[in-house]
Amino acid sequence: MPRPAGSSRNSALRDVPRRKVLSSAAAMAAVVLFGASACTTGPVPAPGTTSAATPKPANATFTFGTGSDPLSFDPALVSDTESYRVTRQVMEGLLTIDPVTGAPAPSLALSWTELEDGLAFTFTLRPGVSFHDGTPFDAAAVCTNFERWYAMTASTRGDGATSMFKQVFRAFKDDAANSLYDSCTATGNLEVTLRLKMRLTGFLDALTLPAFAISSPTALKAGTADVLDHEYAAGKVSRYALHPVGTGPFTFTQATPGSVALTANPKYWGEKGQITTLNFKTYEQPETRLAALEDGSIDGFDPVTPDNLDKLIKAGKQVLQRDPFSVMYLSLNQSVPAIADQKVREAIAAAIDKSTIVNNYFIAGTATTAQFIPPKLSGFNNAVSGIGFDMAKAKSLLAASSYKGEELKFYYPTNAARTYLPSPEKVYAQIATGLTAAGFNIKPVPIPWNEGYVAAVTGKGDHALSLLGWNGSYADPDNFVGALFGTPNAQLSMNDPQLVSKITRARSMPNGAERVAAYEAINQQLAETVPAVPIAFPISAIALSDRVLSYPLSPVLNEVFNNVKLSPGTN
């Protein structure tokens, strides 16, 4: 079935007035229209282009403040938003997200055709594109990347918990029998066919993930991309991960602690935009981000916290709000004996005052939740109420459990603000207070985000509890429950093959009532077995200076800065 392949800027985001908080409701409504796609035909304009001409100031420098440093610049091996914020500028995938419809749209692939009832897809590639190092973009380059992801060894990927390849395809080449990936074949210089072992309803949507951006094969080889013999942000990375090479509108210049510098790609195939030098600077504390915007050191920042939202509005700064498309949750590690007891997990859930957390530490409009799938996606189950805040019930459940006062280590990040968790220390304190009141023996384990927090709570260890969140990247329920619970991982250490089987079945079902019912049942089972405690669907917001006329706000964070429009005459 043909589908429109065109792309244009969301008119609701074209002109952002001052002194106004703008919601991305229109964009979010569009994103949830994602569904299974059959085929797309015909060349189209570059995504994000507009017909209106905008004056282009020479040598425009744009500096954007962030709440934490990236963890790496190899998108295949990370899943954090700050890493992706950078790699989205430098690298592109076969598909991107149409900002109006939310559907998969052409990027490095101009068109695609579904074959064999979803077991294969043929992509026609964009001609005349080169990587930043001059290597031609072609079908062979695409297959080099897919085969690299598939063949990653444990020494490179670890257990794969933070790899989107595993979350989408379930396994790597060393476990080929359980992998859903089959092959990549160059059927022409600019034509490639990807084959699957099982139908994936959200496959095309998944290809919009920044993790599936295409790297230069030359740079991958020169940077020994699968040899993690360097360090960055307290983690092991390859030489390539310190200097990625893609086809995007910006080239990677350098990264130092607290700062990343990019330069506009003069040979970019799409809209080049007005920004010629793009800097990302880290400000770990909300007050320093706000001060930097006020004194002109930066042109915008993300995220806005409740503490500085009112100050920004009163100062007449632009504040743009993304509609909720992420979930913040408390992770429970069942490799810790006490957490393996379901009554203990239920007691933990009953001791968490979600309303107080949301009202005090998140932007107004953030909703509490008892499930992991956002309400605008199919599979959200209105019948799931979860375990509400009830201290008497928490104490009763704990008394009936096997818990005998063992110390439970509660990990939480410091010196960071995430779009899904703007005030982690305060959220930790609120949860820990409730757990202690219920009778738990909580030991705080604060870890600076940039000193290995993610690795500490997603690897094997003694983290009984930890604060985490998940930013949705495409509008399919599998992007939430599949990513978090669809494969065994050291973060949760849960052993529920029935749940994994249900998720595997649901993700391959055609869109329709049966698939919706399957995800509703998965949501119900998650609420009953409590492998983790969902707390909130956060609203996130960014702040911008007056020189910004428009910003490509996206609920899935697909925000590429060649689409930023600046006031004429700025530099």
Side-chain angles (χ1 to χ4, degrees):
M1 177 178 70
R3 104 181 304 167
S7 174
S8 62
R9 183 180 300 281
N10 186 338
S11 60
L13 304 181
R14 189 170 292 138
D15 297 303
V16 182
R18 292 183 60 193
R19 303 179 185 275
K20 181 177 181 181
V21 177
L22 177 67
S23 169
S24 60
M28 188 66 236
V31 169
V32 300
L33 296 176
F34 276 48
S37 307
C39 61
T40 301
T41 59
V44 297
T49 59
T50 61
S51 58
T54 302
K56 297 184 182 301
N59 301 317
T61 296
F62 194 88
T63 303
F64 195 81
T66 65
S68 59
D69 281 349
L71 299 180
S72 166
F73 304 108
D74 182 350
L77 291 174
V78 291
S79 59
D80 67 295
T81 57
E82 295 307 338
S83 297
Y84 285 161
R85 195 192 301 274
V86 174
T87 63
R88 285 183 191 274
Q89 319 304 322
V90 176
M91 307 170 70
E92 300 169 304
L94 296 178
L95 305 180
T96 187
I97 297 171
D98 188 295
V100 176
T101 67
S107 181
L108 292 178
L110 283 173
S111 61
W112 55 91
T113 303
E114 179 181 325
L115 306 171
E116 302 173 25
D117 195 28
L119 290 179
F121 290 83
T122 294
F123 297 86
T124 299
L125 306 182
R126 189 177 294 275
V129 177
S130 294
F131 293 97
H132 300 154
D133 61 2
T135 302
F137 167 74
D138 55 18
V142 172
C143 286
T144 294
N145 279 264
F146 272 90
E147 291 299 319
R148 177 216 172 197
W149 302 328
Y150 179 49
M152 277 186 178
T153 63
S155 62
T156 301
R157 72 185 192 239
D159 69 356
T162 58
S163 164
M164 289 295 177
F165 187 90
K166 180 177 181 179
Q167 290 169 14
V168 173
F169 297 104
R170 294 299 181 259
F172 297 89
K173 189 173 184 179
D174 56 8
D175 187 17
N178 291 313
S179 179
L180 306 183
Y181 174 83
D182 184 78
S183 64
C184 176
T185 304
T187 49
N189 186 53
L190 292 175
E191 183 179 274
V192 65
T193 298
L194 296 175
R195 303 189 67 85
L196 307 173
K197 294 178 183 175
M198 184 184 79
R199 174 187 171 88
L200 298 177
T201 300
F203 175 63
L204 292 176
D205 305 305
L207 290 185
T208 68
L209 289 166
F212 296 125
I214 306 299
S215 295
S216 162
T218 303
L220 288 173
K221 182 177 181 180
T224 54
D226 295 330
V227 180
L228 310 185
D229 54 355
H230 288 65
E231 288 193 4
Y232 187 83
K236 292 290 187 181
V237 299
S238 69
R239 189 163 75 254
Y240 175 77
L242 297 176
H243 197 103
V245 179
T247 60
F250 294 93
T251 63
F252 193 90
T253 304
Q254 66 175 352
T256 57
S259 180
V260 179
L262 308 178
T263 304
N265 174 13
K267 298 181 180 180
Y268 183 53
W269 60 265
E271 182 181 19
K272 296 179 177 62
Q274 298 170 263
I275 299 170
T276 54
T277 301
L278 176 59
N279 300 312
F280 294 106
K281 290 191 175 181
T282 302
Y283 297 85
E284 294 176 344
Q285 300 305 317
E287 296 79 9
T288 58
R289 291 195 294 276
L290 178 61
L293 183 67
E294 290 177 332
D295 68 19
S297 298
I298 59 177
D299 300 290
F301 69 79
D302 183 17
V304 172
T305 62
D307 292 342
N308 56 34
L309 178 60
D310 289 342
K311 297 175 184 177
L312 287 163
I313 299 300
K314 290 176 181 177
K317 299 297 183 183
Q318 298 183 70
V319 179
L320 288 78
Q321 291 187 3
R322 304 182 187 95
D323 278 7
F325 204 61
S326 63
V327 60
M328 190 276 286
Y329 62 95
L330 180 67
S331 180
L332 306 177
N333 180 11
Q334 294 184 42
S335 71
V336 175
I339 303 299
D341 186 338
Q342 182 167 324
K343 281 188 170 61
V344 171
R345 301 198 301 274
E346 291 175 356
I348 290 170
I352 298 176
D353 185 353
K354 298 178 183 179
S355 294
T356 295
I357 292 170
V358 164
N359 291 338
N360 290 347
Y361 309 121
F362 287 86
I363 291 175
T366 294
T368 62
T369 181
Q371 52 192 301
F372 287 88
I373 297 176
K376 290 185 178 180
L377 288 185
S378 61
F380 179 83
N381 191 340
N382 288 313
V384 171
S385 58
I387 299 174
F389 175 53
D390 186 333
M391 189 58 71
K393 181 176 181 178
K395 292 178 178 179
S396 176
L397 284 165
L398 197 59
S401 75
S402 60
Y403 182 70
K404 303 300 181 186
E406 304 95 313
E407 180 179 84
L408 299 179
K409 293 184 178 180
F410 190 159
Y411 284 54
Y412 64 96
T414 62
N415 300 333
R418 319 299 297 160
T419 53
Y420 55 75
L421 189 58
S423 305
E425 294 94 339
K426 295 177 181 178
V427 172
Y428 157 77
Q430 183 69 45
I431 295 175
T433 297
L435 295 177
T436 301
F440 287 99
N441 179 9
I442 299 298
K443 180 180 180 179
V445 183
I447 300 179
W449 180 268
N450 294 331
E451 294 182 16
Y453 179 76
V454 173
V457 299
T458 58
K460 293 181 179 180
D462 58 0
H463 48 96
L465 308 95
S466 55
L467 284 181
L468 281 171
W470 180 260
N471 283 289
S473 298
Y474 61 95
D476 189 282
D478 186 64
N479 185 226
F480 285 85
V481 297
L484 297 174
F485 308 105
T487 57
N489 59 70
Q491 174 189 328
L492 301 173
S493 299
M494 54 183 287
N495 182 21
D496 193 341
Q498 182 191 50
L499 176 63
V500 172
S501 178
K502 285 182 177 180
I503 292 174
T504 300
R505 175 177 175 269
R507 68 202 306 262
S508 66
M509 297 169 67
N511 283 322
E514 188 177 356
R515 190 171 194 256
V516 171
Y519 278 107
E520 288 179 346
I522 290 167
N523 256 339
Q524 182 67 51
Q525 183 169 338
L526 289 170
E528 291 173 352
T529 57
V530 201
V533 183
I535 294 174
F537 291 132
I539 288 178
S540 65
I542 69 169
L544 297 167
S545 71
D546 294 341
R547 73 188 292 232
V548 180
L549 291 178
S550 71
Y551 179 90
L553 193 70
S554 168
V556 295
L557 306 181
N558 186 35
E559 297 166 357
V560 186
F561 283 67
N562 64 318
N563 293 321
V564 171
K565 304 301 181 187
L566 303 176
S567 299
T570 61
N571 53 44

